[in-house]
Amino acid sequence: MDFLSIKDLETLDIEHSDNFGIVLCGGGAAGRFQAGVLLALAQRRILERAKVLIGTSVGGLNAALFAMYGDAGDPSVLDDNGVPVPPLYTEAYNVWNNITKNSDIYNGDINSIIGKVGAGLGFVFGADSILDPQPLYNRLDSIFGQLTMGEISDLFGTELILSSQDLNANEEEFYCSFNEKTKNMKVTTALRATAGIPGIFKSVPFQDAGDKVEHWHVDGGTGANNPFLAIEKYNEAFPGAKLNKILIIYCYPDVHVEDTKVYRCFRDVLLRVVGAMLNTQEQMTETTVKLVVSESKMNVMALWPKNQTCDALDFTKTSLLEDGYRYGMGAIGYNYRTKTEMSISDFLAVKS
């Protein structure tokens, strides 16, 4: 945890700022960078002021982790370097720090000869998925246990919204800690659903209140890898405390690099198509964000990694956690209203 001990820590007094929420996009293993940014926002005492955390795919995992550890702790408790390290957020750090290899999240190797043969046979004979996400499921169970969406809000004071794609209804579903229909859903159920990368991880069956039969769900990122639209759910539920500002934290840079790979293998095509779908959806959502900002009082800031992070299934890039943390400590984001770059501090400190 050496990198958490950065001296000259800048905290931010935003007690009287606008209500704001945080939207966390999907990105698989690159979510480690996003978690680092959240650690920095937590240590700067920004995250505890967020009214709601909204996430899909790995952004959903990060949203649940940091909503669960929503108490910033006693700021008078310092580490050896005189820097406050909130004890509960330290647990969120430990979750990611203990993920160092792919087998911590899934069984199987999509790039090996055996993996390629298995994928081909699975495609022919109707296997549940190419990779087995049971290690992820075990990890989720150990972290969240039987906690429900509503209990996280009640215990830790932060509202939570997660999403998945309902294959039977052919629509994006949002699971809210404040919604009567979904507040009793187990967090682990919602997270298994939003992590279900189509074809790669299993789709997840469960029956929502009001459903006549079980519906099957996959990665929320397939419907909206940037779940910005879920803000409407929060504002409808809390009309007296609507969100005026939104921070969007991406897992990948805003610049997409063209590659020279030969896409002959269906496995590679499938992975690339999923990525292309997510990219297209994010572009559509960005258009929506621009429209919302231009037509309302809401303002939005987006944060992107400056450099490429990692492949969505490569959980070995442990340095991304520190990269995200250092970025979050002095983050400069894009302000959609002013169309300029500015610091998070300036963005949040000034009331609309």
Side-chain angles (χ1 to χ4, degrees):
M1 291 181 57
D2 290 343
F3 71 80
L4 288 179
S5 301
I6 294 180
K7 296 183 179 181
D8 301 321
L9 177 68
E10 177 200 2
T11 58
L12 180 62
D13 181 9
I14 55 174
E15 183 176 356
H16 302 295
S17 66
D18 291 316
N19 291 333
F20 72 93
I22 298 178
V23 174
L24 303 171
C25 303
R32 192 188 301 268
F33 178 93
Q34 188 182 72
V37 176
L38 291 170
L39 282 168
L41 298 187
Q43 200 171 8
R44 293 175 62 187
R45 307 193 72 81
I46 294 174
L47 192 59
E48 64 190 83
R49 298 291 184 182
K51 298 297 183 182
V52 61
L53 298 184
I54 302 169
T56 195
S57 195
V58 74
L61 170 62
N62 282 330
L65 275 177
F66 285 89
M68 184 175 176
Y69 302 123
D71 180 1
D74 185 351
S76 65
V77 177
L78 307 178
D79 67 9
D80 294 338
N81 293 305
V83 177
V85 180
L88 290 177
Y89 286 117
T90 300
E91 294 302 317
Y93 163 87
N94 288 336
V95 169
W96 274 104
N97 196 49
N98 289 329
I99 299 172
T100 60
K101 53 188 183 298
N102 294 339
S103 59
D104 290 329
I105 297 298
Y106 57 82
N107 295 319
D109 183 357
I110 199 169
N111 293 312
S112 68
I113 294 177
I114 294 177
K116 293 177 181 178
V117 172
L121 292 175
F123 184 83
V124 172
F125 293 104
D128 290 345
S129 59
I130 296 175
L131 300 174
D132 175 15
Q134 191 59 48
L136 170 63
Y137 294 173
N138 294 341
R139 194 169 294 271
L140 294 177
D141 290 341
S142 68
I143 296 168
F144 298 99
Q146 299 298 310
L147 276 175
T148 66
M149 296 287 292
E151 286 172 340
I152 280 196
S153 173
D154 293 340
L155 290 170
F156 304 105
T158 301
E159 301 296 346
L160 176 65
I161 303 177
L162 305 175
S163 70
S164 76
Q165 183 73 10
D166 184 331
L167 296 177
N168 295 86
N170 196 27
E171 63 183 12
E172 186 84 357
E173 283 201 354
F174 295 105
Y175 312 116
C176 307
S177 58
F178 47 82
N179 183 289
E180 287 297 324
K181 180 181 176 182
T182 59
K183 70 178 184 180
N184 293 321
M185 172 183 285
K186 289 200 301 183
V187 175
T188 52
T189 300
L191 289 177
R192 287 188 182 199
T194 198
I197 306 171
I200 308 301
F201 288 173
K202 298 176 183 178
S203 53
V204 178
F206 58 85
Q207 190 167 346
D208 277 342
D211 289 342
K212 295 181 180 179
V213 296
E214 279 189 335
H215 284 202
W216 291 79
H217 301 76
V218 294
D219 192 336
T222 60
N225 200 47
N226 176 349
F228 176 80
L229 295 179
I231 293 163
E232 182 181 3
K233 302 288 185 182
Y234 179 90
N235 284 343
E236 288 176 351
F238 302 97
K242 290 185 176 182
L243 303 175
N244 296 316
K245 290 182 179 177
I246 302 296
L247 286 177
I248 303 174
I249 306 178
Y250 290 88
C251 295
Y252 292 105
D254 192 33
V255 177
H256 296 274
V257 180
E258 182 178 346
D259 68 30
T260 58
K261 186 170 184 174
V262 177
Y263 289 97
R264 183 177 295 112
C265 172
F266 87 86
R267 169 186 57 87
D268 295 335
V269 172
L270 176 62
L271 288 173
R272 186 61 170 177
V273 167
V274 170
M277 289 170 57
L278 301 185
N279 182 38
T280 300
Q281 289 163 1
E282 287 183 0
Q283 291 175 0
M284 294 172 62
T285 303
E286 186 167 351
T287 300
T288 302
V289 170
K290 292 176 180 177
L291 181 62
V292 169
V293 170
S294 66
E295 299 293 330
S296 72
K297 294 182 179 180
M298 183 180 292
N299 199 2
V300 178
M301 170 173 279
L303 304 173
W304 293 280
K306 299 303 181 185
N307 302 307
Q308 290 297 323
T309 46
C310 68
D311 181 84
L313 294 175
D314 183 3
F315 287 89
T316 66
K317 301 296 189 293
T318 57
S319 62
L320 288 176
L321 192 62
E322 180 175 356
D323 292 344
Y325 177 80
R326 293 185 181 279
Y327 172 76
M329 275 298 176
I332 301 295
Y334 179 76
N335 185 326
Y336 279 86
R337 184 170 298 284
T338 64
K339 299 179 181 178
T340 60
E341 292 189 338
M342 65 187 305
S343 70
I344 295 178
S345 304
D346 291 339
F347 176 74
L348 293 178
V350 179
K351 286 185 70 68
S352 299

